[in-house]
Amino acid sequence: LGVSERIHCAKRKPWYQLADYAIPDIFFPYMSSGDHHMVRNDAKASCTNAIHRVYVHSGADASSVVASSFTSLFAFECELFGRHYGGGVLKLEPTASKSLSVISAGCARAMDRLAKVASSIGYAGRREIADEQVLIRHLKFPLSTLTALRRGISILAKERRRRQCS
C-alpha cells in the first residue's frame, strides 16, 4: 500500500516504530464535546499526540493537579480559553492549556475521595466534590464566586453546544 513511503513513516527506522516513548505524569485529552479533566497516569503508559502530556514539577503532587481539573474554575477556563469547533467540540491547544489554573499541592485527599466515588456519581457529582474540597476548603473561595463560575460555565457551554445545531 506504500504506507512505509509516506512522509512520517519514511523518516523512521523501522518505518512502523515510533521513537517517542515519553511517559507523562498525567494525561489531558484536549478535544471533547463534554467536560475536560485530567487523568493520573498510574499505569506509566505513553500516549499519542492526540492527548496532551502533563509533567508535574518537583514538589508538586499529580493527585492535586488532577483533582483541581474537576473544579468549576478549571471548567470555566476550559470554556473561556478553548476553541469551539463544529458539533459542540471544545479543543484546548497547548498554549491555552498552559493558562489553566491547577493546584500543585495540598489536595491529594480530594483526589482520593473523587477516585472512591468516580463511577457512582458521574461528572457533576465529581465537580461538586472537587469544588468543595479544592475551591472552598483549600482556596477559600466565597460561595458567590463559585456561583458565578458555575453560571459562566453554563452560559459558555450552552453557547458552544448551540452552535452545533446552526
Side-chain angles (χ1 to χ4, degrees):
L1 298 173
V3 173
S4 62
E5 283 82 43
R6 293 184 182 169
I7 189 163
H8 292 290
C9 294
K11 294 187 268 185
R12 297 189 209 122
K13 300 291 181 225
W15 68 269
Y16 54 83
Q17 187 173 26
L18 300 176
D20 186 358
Y21 299 109
I23 297 174
D25 301 308
I26 297 169
F27 296 122
F28 183 39
Y30 63 85
M31 288 183 72
S32 175
S33 59
D35 295 303
H36 283 78
H37 64 277
M38 297 183 193
V39 178
R40 199 174 51 213
N41 184 10
D42 293 338
K44 303 296 181 213
S46 188
C47 64
T48 68
N49 65 353
I51 299 173
H52 291 313
R53 294 174 180 162
V54 179
Y55 298 91
V56 177
H57 295 291
S58 176
D61 172 46
S63 291
S64 293
V65 173
V66 171
S68 64
S69 77
F70 283 92
T71 66
S72 291
L73 175 61
F74 192 86
F76 177 75
E77 289 178 338
C78 286
E79 292 290 347
L80 200 59
F81 300 140
R83 289 183 163 184
H84 301 178
Y85 286 94
V89 170
L90 182 64
K91 181 179 182 183
L92 289 152
E93 300 288 351
T95 304
S97 297
K98 289 178 183 177
S99 300
L100 299 172
S101 299
V102 294
I103 308 306
S104 62
C107 297
R109 285 183 56 200
M111 190 61 223
D112 292 341
R113 187 164 176 217
L114 287 167
K116 286 178 187 169
V117 297
S119 61
S120 62
I121 62 172
Y123 193 83
R126 287 180 281 180
R127 183 178 291 164
E128 205 53 53
I129 291 171
D131 284 350
E132 178 204 328
Q133 297 286 316
V134 177
L135 298 182
I136 294 173
R137 286 190 180 177
H138 186 71
L139 295 178
K140 310 293 186 217
F141 270 44
L143 286 176
S144 60
T145 301
L146 184 55
T147 300
L149 282 172
R150 289 175 175 170
R151 175 92 173 112
I153 295 164
S154 176
I155 291 168
L156 292 170
K158 184 184 280 185
E159 177 60 24
R160 173 172 51 91
R161 291 182 180 115
R162 182 189 66 78
R163 291 184 193 175
Q164 76 183 32
C165 300
S166 28

